[in-house]
Amino acid sequence: MRKTIPNLLFLLFSLITVLAQQPDKLKASEIYESISKLNFLGSVLYVAAHPDDENTRLISYMSNHIKARTAYLSITRGDGGQNLIGPEIRELLGVIRTQELLAARGVDGGEQMFTRANDFGYSKHPEETLKIWDKDNVLSDVVWAIRKFKPDVIINRFNDDATNGNHGHHTSSAMLSMEAFDLAGDKEQFKDQLNHTTVWQPKSLYFNTHWWFYGSREKFDAVDKSNMINFDIGVYYPLKGLSNNELASMASNKHLCQGFGRLTQRGSQIEYIDFLKGDFPEDKANVFSGIDTSWNRVRGGKAIGDILYAVEKDFDFTNPSASIPKLIDAYTLVSQLEDEHWRTVKTKELKAIIEACSGLYLEVSADTPNISNGNSIALNIEALNRSNASYNLRSYSISTQAGAFEKNIALEPNVKQNFNDTISIPESFKYTTPYWLENKGTLGMYKVDDRRLIGLPETPRSVTVDFDFNINGVPISITRDVIYRYSKPDKGELYRPFEIIPAASASITDKVIIFENDRHKEISVVVKAGKDDLKGSISMNYPNDWNIYPDEQVVDIAHKGEEQSFVFSVIPPKFQSEGHISPRVTINGDTYTKELIEIDYDHIPYQTVLLPGESKIVRLDIKKKGENIGYIEGAGDTVPESLQQIGYNVVTIKPEDITPEHLAKFDAIVVGIRAYNVVDALKYKQKTLLEFVENGGNMIVQYNTNFRLKVDNLAPFDLKLSRDRVTEENAEVRLINPEHEVLNYPNKITEKDFEGWTQERGLYYPSEWGPEFSPILSMNDKGETPKDGSLLVAKHGKGHYIYTGLSFFREFPEGVSGAYRLFANMLSIGKDNIDIEKKLND
Ligand SMILES: [Zn+2]
């Protein structure tokens, strides 16, 4: 079913999307602040690479103190990070981090933009980054962002020096910003964009420097700062009862999946921006000096300023609606401005202020959170004017159908009007899903076909209602996304975005299915109904050398939202092999292959994502010893599930259960990623763990960072972590200890086992270790010295202690067979010494 976004949607095409959360109800102080911002005609674009790179102190200062329209351009959505709050990784993590950025901007008052670049994981050099990103396209997107937002001032978070040793994405973000600064104003560059926007030359470009770019505070103190501008970003906002840096902390606290929940900060604090390009301001105290940021900046603006400066000056905090007549006068003039950019930006701001001054409550809620195409929903429209302004609702129109509902009803003060309509979702409307995930992209880029969507933080909602009002006699239209409003006895009133979902979606329970031998496995496939009375069939797609039975099963689900589970038998080939399987649901001749993923956290709006419902199948050639594994969870990984897949019995051990008696039940203990960074209790349990090793157990510790380690000694012997990492996932791996048991038993590990790894080899390798440790592997990124600390094995008492920075947590979910085989050896080590001695003697 091919779907197109209705054009209507783009009539109100804008950078900020209204989240379908509880609508903002501005307090009088906030209305006043919005009027001050309305009267400032200047803008700042902040540029960095990832969600959480942005300096919220500076964004908040520009937005709330200077009153500039301020945006953060994050080159990526942060897919490559780790998730501290749940299981979502990769594209799903990018969806969460996108929403966290929007939540942060909701606090600091900025807007949010992106490019099509994908965060493919750590990169050491901008050269590598820009190759994987498709530099021309990302550069085009940065130029596009500048042309659309039209900033006077651009501030880079990072240094553009390619030799600075920073994350390649960081340095690239600054390099791209530098280049785009010179191109955005040139009409010969990226000409196709000019069908949708106009050229723009920002005035100046800065680097948001900091002492840590210089190595120490002392070195930074000694630097010549004649080219720098500084701000005290600790200013206090009495209208908010908060300091700027306090507000900024609250904004960055939204990056919860990255562990940014921290204490707030306040008090005087200096930020520096270092001039790079353009015009240096005559007045160093004002980054906008030389730019007219008054209404005089725009042709026809003087008369608007005359009205609006008076509105600001005479604002009545006890009765904001007193400003409505003047605001309406200004609105009429603003909507006649020739300059399209300022007309669009200021009309939008002004409308929101007029609404807020009227205490307007305008909401369209559906009777269900989601529906599939061709089905009907009931809408409840609530319109309430809580002021003495004259509101006449002339008509409203719903994006799902042609024509308007004529009303001509006066909204008398505080008299609620309700309208009920039943609408049908046209077949042509697209499913709700992040637009950048609709097509399969490359490692470094999302594929977005519609130019107008590029840069938007999220997909504009397609089911909307346009209301045509006459406010004090002046026609003003206001648009609302349809939402779903409901309540829970233990949570109160809740809001969700209204969504269009497929009639059927299907998912295979496991994303990677590992076959440790040639026995068949039963897999479970779940079909979810997006409508009532779903009847059809399900079958599976699979590679030639595999088999799946039965061929087809009957789908019959009575109610929308209900699920039906199916069991299929997957029969692997005799030899090592891998491929993909996917479900195919057929309903009335239409085929559905996507999985519907729901993301539900308290700090961001509810999200649904549609992705291909496929799973990877891997027939492994693997042997293993030992059976019972205890897993100590760290910052979150799915290693336990992966080990279960290859036949281990894995039990998660809570820190309080780390006792000699409990540990004695296990053949090996595996410690999850960064456990020694995030689990406080390990401080008191390390002795017990190391005793378990002495008594004959195996202990495998996955990577930790040096920052905030909870223990003095990670290992029974000297072990010093470093920041060494090998980010090239296909970097050569040299077996420097080929005779070692861990490379020979029970599986013979060869260079071949390091083929097909994803994202990276590993990270935070130890750089120094005691003589008790045997280094097993050596590897390095291009142009670097060999790093030998990725896998260190030591005998301790009767058992073995293994420290590894290899990224098993990334490889397992991708079904990388060599990673499984090597990990099986790590778990098996010492479990059958007689056998291994015999083997080595053979
Ligand atoms: Zn970053």
Side-chain angles (χ1 to χ4, degrees), residues 425 486 536 557 646 698 759 834:
I425 305 297
Y486 62 111
I557 307 178
I646 56 168
N698 284 352
Q759 194 155 347
I834 305 156

Side-chain angles (χ1 to χ4, degrees), residues 49-53 158 167 170:
H50 306 116
D52 81 10
D53 283 346
F158 297 105
H167 192 326
H170 291 168

Side-chain angles (χ1 to χ4, degrees), residues 121-264:
Y122 190 81
S123 170
K124 284 179 186 167
H125 302 286
E127 197 186 320
E128 181 206 27
T129 302
L130 293 172
K131 206 156 89 198
I132 296 177
W133 271 357
D134 184 348
K135 190 209 158 187
D136 280 352
N137 276 326
V138 188
L139 179 62
S140 153
D141 290 359
V142 178
V143 168
W144 172 245
I146 294 172
R147 286 174 172 174
K148 289 196 64 195
F149 188 74
K150 306 202 187 308
D152 299 305
V153 175
I154 298 181
I155 302 174
N156 294 345
R157 166 75 281 190
F158 297 105
N159 179 326
D160 69 310
D161 172 6
T163 63
N164 66 19
N166 201 329
H167 192 326
H169 297 179
H170 291 168
T171 309
S172 299
S173 73
M175 293 166 72
L176 290 163
S177 167
M178 290 283 273
E179 215 173 314
F181 182 89
D182 297 332
L183 303 176
D186 182 346
K187 63 179 183 345
E188 297 304 317
Q189 302 290 340
F190 304 109
K191 283 182 174 173
D192 61 309
Q193 297 180 2
L194 300 175
N195 296 325
H196 305 280
T197 187
T198 54
V199 295
W200 180 255
Q201 181 55 58
K203 274 278 186 289
S204 48
L205 176 68
Y206 300 86
F207 158 44
N208 181 194
T209 192
H210 192 266
W211 66 259
W212 54 262
F213 287 102
Y214 290 82
S216 74
R217 286 176 198 276
E218 292 69 31
K219 282 186 191 154
F220 185 60
D221 286 345
V223 166
D224 169 24
K225 298 193 181 56
S226 53
N227 254 345
M228 292 186 194
I229 297 180
N230 64 64
F231 314 93
D232 182 352
I233 53 81
V235 286
Y236 178 62
Y237 304 128
L239 288 177
K240 295 182 191 294
L242 292 168
S243 292
N244 180 70
N245 29 7
E246 221 168 353
L247 193 65
S249 313
M250 289 159 65
S252 63
N253 271 344
K254 297 292 180 189
H255 296 301
L256 290 182
C257 73
Q258 303 305 300
F260 269 51
R262 294 172 192 170
L263 291 173
T264 55

